[in-house]
Amino acid sequence: MIELEGVPELIDPVMVAAFEGWNDAGDAASTAVGHMDREFKGEVFAALDAEDYYDFQVNRPTVWMDGGVRRITWPTTRLSVVRIQSPKPRDLVLVRGIEPSMRWRSFCNEILGFAHELGVEMVVVLGALLGDTPHTRPVPVTGVTSDPDLATSMNLEESRYEGPTGIVGILQEACTHAGIPAVSLWAAVPHYVSQPPNPKATLALLNRLEDLLDLRIPQGELPEDARAWQVGVDQLAAEDSEVAEYVQTLEEARDTAELPEASGEAIAKEFERYLRRRDPQPGGYASEGEDGVPRFRELPQTPPSEEAPSDDASPDDDEDDGTSD
């Protein structure tokens, strides 16, 4: 039995996990979990024994100085807990680490042992894969599950993937066998700009997680970082005519594929989703720019007895994707 000391009773806990490595293109997924840990001031309550799961010639430890004393940080997977207050109190158990080098089944069993002891209601695993997607469009994020009932109730895709998999797929399957509802969210990262970081993909994953769990996550500097990232990639593409032409080809293919989704009902649904997710600033509301990054627009002040006029801004659909786990 896993004994947890100092962990309070959790409220409707959901486990959110991400692992650096094969399933983390652009470090988008692990950065998303790290962002939540920082924003909500997560408290680490457990770490897996690195000796059991990692090849230190593949994932080497790092040495650093602490007030003149040399310290070593070993590659591992750590668990922390954060409490989210909006729109209602809920706890997240954050799992962040590196894809293990060995003993994957034991690794997943240990993670599930923590989930069982903490009363976790659902496991959400974040991932990111390289895809044929243009950096100029909203990042596609796909929600996948192996549970047909969960796919129907939460509007997710039922996994049909066959082929090599990473720890994300193994952990999701382990959850299914253990009777714990499990979902994976996948962001598609442009394969021609795969170097980390990718704040635009990180932001897309957090937005999708907000929708899935009906909660609000402070975005911090991510929107500005995402805009700066896109400007930088735009400049690099402009310097190479072949890259610019390729990006244009991807844009045309993406836009053509999304035409059937551009119905009034779909647009209204997306606008409602964004209004529900965003926590408006005083005197404004959130909308999304052409690059898929949210921005706040000012509304005219109105007397208490009047309603602020509605706006016809509609966000782009950032969830349609053909990626798989």
Side-chain angles (χ1 to χ4, degrees), residues 111-163:
I111 295 293
L112 292 178
F114 284 108
H116 175 74
E117 291 299 318
L118 294 168
V120 166
E121 299 177 351
M122 177 186 292
V123 174
V124 181
V125 193
L126 306 183
L129 293 177
L130 300 179
D132 295 328
T133 182
H135 71 279
T136 53
R137 297 295 187 265
V139 176
V141 178
T142 304
V144 180
T145 181
S146 299
D147 185 336
D149 295 333
L150 195 62
T152 301
S153 63
M154 303 193 76
N155 193 27
L156 303 168
E157 292 187 14
E158 188 176 349
S159 178
R160 301 292 183 185
Y161 173 76
E162 296 179 325

Side-chain angles (χ1 to χ4, degrees), residues 4 14 33 39 53 87 97 109 113 119 145 170-171 178 190 194-195 227 231 240 249-250 261 294 297:
L4 301 176
V14 172
V33 173
E39 290 293 327
Y53 305 114
N109 287 337
T145 181
I170 299 300
L171 179 57
S194 60
Q195 304 90 334
R227 283 190 286 272
V231 169
D240 190 320
T249 301
L250 292 178
E261 300 299 326
R297 298 175 57 187

Side-chain angles (χ1 to χ4, degrees), residues 8 14 33 35 37 40 62 68 74-75 114 121 133 137 153 169 175 202 223 230 263 270 319:
V14 172
V33 173
H35 175 84
D37 194 61
F40 293 112
T62 57
W74 296 92
F114 284 108
E121 299 177 351
T133 182
R137 297 295 187 265
S153 63
C175 290
T202 295
Q230 180 162 324
S263 66
E270 288 299 306
E319 298 174 13

Side-chain angles (χ1 to χ4, degrees), residues 190-318:
H191 66 84
Y192 58 88
V193 56
S194 60
Q195 304 90 334
N198 189 320
K200 188 172 181 178
T202 295
L203 185 61
L205 281 170
L206 292 174
N207 288 345
R208 186 68 172 87
L209 184 65
E210 282 184 327
D211 293 338
L212 183 73
L213 301 180
D214 190 23
L215 48 80
R216 291 195 178 98
I217 301 171
Q219 296 183 341
E221 298 180 355
L222 273 177
E224 185 60 33
D225 291 343
R227 283 190 286 272
W229 176 85
Q230 180 162 324
V231 169
V233 178
D234 285 342
Q235 294 173 346
L236 291 174
E239 295 172 1
D240 190 320
S241 59
E242 291 185 359
V243 173
E245 183 177 350
Y246 178 66
V247 171
Q248 183 178 359
T249 301
L250 292 178
E251 291 173 338
E252 292 173 352
R254 173 77 178 273
D255 294 344
T256 300
E258 291 184 346
L259 281 177
E261 300 299 326
S263 66
E265 182 179 353
I267 292 174
K269 181 179 179 181
E270 288 299 306
F271 186 51
E272 179 181 324
R273 177 171 65 88
Y274 270 74
L275 290 179
R276 183 178 69 253
R277 179 175 64 215
R278 301 296 169 204
D279 187 11
Q281 301 293 329
Y285 70 93
S287 63
E288 187 180 70
E290 293 180 357
D291 55 4
V293 177
R295 297 179 174 84
F296 285 104
R297 298 175 57 187
E298 294 298 321
L299 287 177
Q301 298 298 318
T302 57
S305 60
E306 298 180 10
E307 292 185 354
S310 62
D311 191 273
D312 60 354
S314 59
D316 296 318
D317 187 351
D318 63 354

